[in-house]
């Protein structure tokens, strides 16, 4: 498998894993809010108890907070996937961050994260990102440093 194929595959893995995470959070959140609404609407209500709408609202607010938190933690993986799939020069940095974040989700995320870190820190991965055509265009390792400021 070539370096370009590994790069595209890692980007695809980041996207699929992120979609799986967001989908699971949505399904679990909707299930919990729906079950809480059904349970608290049928439960006997005493005079001093809070209304069931308040409790369901608290469940919905917790779900919304978890969904926002999941979306924020998905941003590095989506950006890394985009960069890897489109051969962007900044993709290696974002991919390292996304791989480390994936390693925290056992077992699928750990497998994706380890695959990403092994590829990104291997000699093959370093050469892939250093010898790309964009490295010469955007000021890669082959360009001389700029001259010092004349006013110093």
């Amino acid at each position: 498998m070539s370096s370009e194929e590994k790069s595209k595959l890692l980007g695809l893995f980041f996207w699929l894993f992120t979609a799986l995470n967001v989908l699971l959070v949505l399904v679990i959140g909707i299930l919990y809010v729906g079950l809480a609404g059904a349970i608290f609407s049928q439960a006997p209500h005493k005079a001093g108890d809070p209304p069931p709408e308040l409790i369901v609202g608290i469940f919905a607010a917790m779900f919304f907070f978890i969904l926002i938190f999941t979306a924020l933690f998905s941003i590095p993986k989506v950006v890394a996937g985009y960069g890897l799939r489109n051969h962007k020069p900044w993709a290696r940095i974002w991919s390292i961050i996304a791989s480390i974040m994936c390693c925290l989700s056992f077992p699928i995320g750990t497998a994706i994260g380890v695959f990403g870190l092994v590829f990104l820190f291997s000699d093959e991965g370093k050469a892939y990102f250093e010898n790309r055509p964009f490295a010469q265009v955007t000021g890669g390792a082959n360009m001389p440093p700029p001259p010092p400021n004349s006013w110093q």
Side-chain angles (χ1 to χ4, degrees):
M1 181 180 279
S2 71
S3 298
E4 185 174 345
E5 290 172 341
K6 286 181 183 177
S7 173
K8 287 189 173 192
L9 184 64
L10 183 60
L12 181 66
F13 283 160
F14 284 147
W15 283 349
L16 291 175
F17 186 65
T18 301
L20 179 68
N21 281 344
V22 172
L23 182 68
L24 283 175
V25 167
L26 279 172
V27 167
I28 290 171
I30 291 171
L31 185 72
Y32 270 66
V33 171
L35 284 175
I39 290 171
F40 288 117
S41 67
Q42 300 299 320
H45 184 67
K46 296 179 185 169
D49 290 342
E53 296 85 18
L54 176 68
I55 297 172
V56 173
I58 291 172
F59 270 92
M62 288 181 355
F63 161 66
F64 184 72
F65 175 75
I66 292 171
L67 184 64
I68 295 297
F69 195 72
T70 301
L72 286 175
F73 273 82
S74 296
I75 291 172
K77 293 176 231 158
V78 171
V79 171
Y82 173 79
L84 287 170
R85 303 278 300 168
N86 294 309
H87 311 292
K88 300 294 181 184
W90 40 263
R92 185 169 187 261
I93 301 297
W94 280 96
S95 299
I96 291 170
I97 294 168
S99 295
I100 291 170
M101 290 174 69
C102 282
C103 282
L104 299 174
S105 299
F106 185 79
I108 297 171
T110 304
I112 294 169
V114 168
F115 171 70
L117 290 173
V118 167
F119 170 65
L120 294 167
F121 286 113
S122 69
D123 293 334
E124 176 188 11
K126 288 178 186 177
Y128 174 73
F129 283 100
E130 290 173 0
N131 296 331
R132 299 294 300 165
F134 57 73
Q136 284 112 23
V137 173
T138 60
N142 297 334
M143 291 194 70
N149 293 330
S150 61
W151 55 271
Q152 290 181 343

